[in-house]
Amino acid sequence: MLRLRKLALKYHPDKNPDNPEAAEKFKEINNAHAILTDVSKRNIYDQYGSLGLYIAEQFGEENVNTYFMLSSWWAKCKPKPPEEEPEFCMSPEDLEEQIKTDMERASYALEYANFYLCNFHSHW
């Protein structure tokens, strides 16, 4: 902590009024001091790093463990991306022929269904 204190004095904005980089450094030193002197923040930092501290600021220190537990669970449960279907190309002529064939089959199926229904109902 003594080293942080010396660094804070070195980069203090009052000692470096025309140096914005020193002011930024001073803020970083104060932030580090705040984390190191707060047992809860230090534990969060030791376990989860700076992301853990950010989560603590956003959602509260009591929710950090829950956040990371759910994040790891969610990452495991993400659905796999669908496999790409092979590209299927057909010429217009082949497509037309396929449609005609399908229509003939459908027509035949309808005729068969009508025949079956008519014969089935006639036995009742």
Side-chain angles (χ1 to χ4, degrees), residues 31 35 41 50-61 64:
N31 188 35
I35 292 167
K41 287 181 182 179
S50 57
L51 179 58
L53 292 172
Y54 176 78
I55 298 302
E57 286 177 15
Q58 299 300 311
F59 303 109
E61 292 179 12
V64 174

Side-chain angles (χ1 to χ4, degrees), residues 102-120:
D102 291 346
M103 293 296 285
E104 287 171 5
R105 287 183 184 158
S107 176
Y108 174 74
L110 284 174
E111 286 177 24
Y112 179 76
N114 282 337
F115 172 78
Y116 178 77
L117 286 175
C118 289
N119 286 332
F120 179 75

Side-chain angles (χ1 to χ4, degrees), residues 67-81:
Y67 174 85
F68 283 100
M69 182 184 67
L70 290 175
S71 294
S72 65
W73 174 78
W74 183 254
K76 292 176 187 174
C77 294
K78 285 184 181 176
K80 293 180 182 176

Side-chain angles (χ1 to χ4, degrees), residues 18-67:
D18 297 327
N19 188 349
E21 292 162 359
E24 279 302 310
K25 192 76 167 170
F26 182 78
K27 288 178 188 176
E28 289 176 18
I29 294 165
N30 276 338
N31 188 35
H33 182 265
I35 292 167
L36 292 173
T37 56
D38 184 315
V39 175
S40 178
K41 287 181 182 179
R42 185 171 183 163
N43 287 337
I44 291 170
Y45 183 80
D46 288 345
Q47 192 167 4
Y48 302 110
S50 57
L51 179 58
L53 292 172
Y54 176 78
I55 298 302
E57 286 177 15
Q58 299 300 311
F59 303 109
E61 292 179 12
E62 67 279 1
N63 297 313
V64 174
N65 289 332
T66 305
Y67 174 85

